[in-house]
Amino acid sequence: MGISDDSTTLTVRSDCIDSDGRFRTDFTGRGRNISPKLRLDGLDPSTRTLAVTLEDLTHPLFGSMAHWIAWNIPPGDSIPAAIPPGRVNPSTGIVQGTAYGWHRYRGPKPPQGMTHTYRFTVHALDCTLTLPSRTRLAGFKHAVEGHVLQWAVLEGIYE
């Protein structure tokens, strides 16, 4: 389901989550641990860059925990799959911040026998962010304040 703070609705969908709302293993820490392709519909044409986060919403110690933060993603109808690890991708300009996946995607991997809920949030921004790659989720959220044209979420569970 997509949610927007604008009258134009942005939606995000992905094959990484099956019809039962569960993450497919390839996109988890128990599988290939690759970032999924996130398809976007209704993107505002004035979007300059995209950003995405993945958070574990049910972490037993922290309440929530960032697994992935990436920004300065070129706008389009999708965020590409298998974004390689690294602080800044020289060919795309995509920056990956500091989260559980240090400068990379780190998919769901809760303790055996526990089910956790994970949320992708895609932000359509009116700017290019000039944050250092060591930026964590709180710094990222602060930096995007006032620059979000639209946003959408996609949630899934994994055990």
Side-chain angles (χ1 to χ4, degrees), residues 66-138:
H67 274 243
W68 186 40
I69 309 166
W71 61 87
N72 293 347
I73 301 167
D77 62 0
S78 67
I79 293 174
I83 294 174
R87 295 172 186 267
V88 181
N89 183 306
S91 63
T92 64
I94 296 172
V95 180
Q96 295 182 91
T98 303
Y100 181 56
W102 280 55
H103 312 296
R104 66 180 292 248
Y105 173 85
R106 189 94 179 250
K109 189 180 176 185
Q112 292 286 346
M114 296 188 73
T115 300
H116 284 208
T117 301
Y118 297 85
R119 176 188 293 155
F120 288 101
T121 304
V122 175
H123 298 86
L125 303 175
D126 67 0
C127 66
T128 298
L129 296 175
T130 57
L131 300 171
S133 60
R134 69 180 176 275
T135 300
R136 295 183 178 274
L137 185 61

Side-chain angles (χ1 to χ4, degrees), residues 1-4 7-14 38-45 47 50 76-79 122 124 150-153:
M1 175 175 148
I3 300 172
S4 175
S7 61
T8 305
T9 301
L10 177 66
T11 59
V12 58
R13 55 194 164 83
S14 178
L38 300 172
R39 292 175 186 83
L40 306 174
D41 293 306
L43 183 65
D44 186 314
T47 299
L50 298 169
D77 62 0
S78 67
I79 293 174
V122 175
Q150 298 170 295
W151 57 277
V153 299

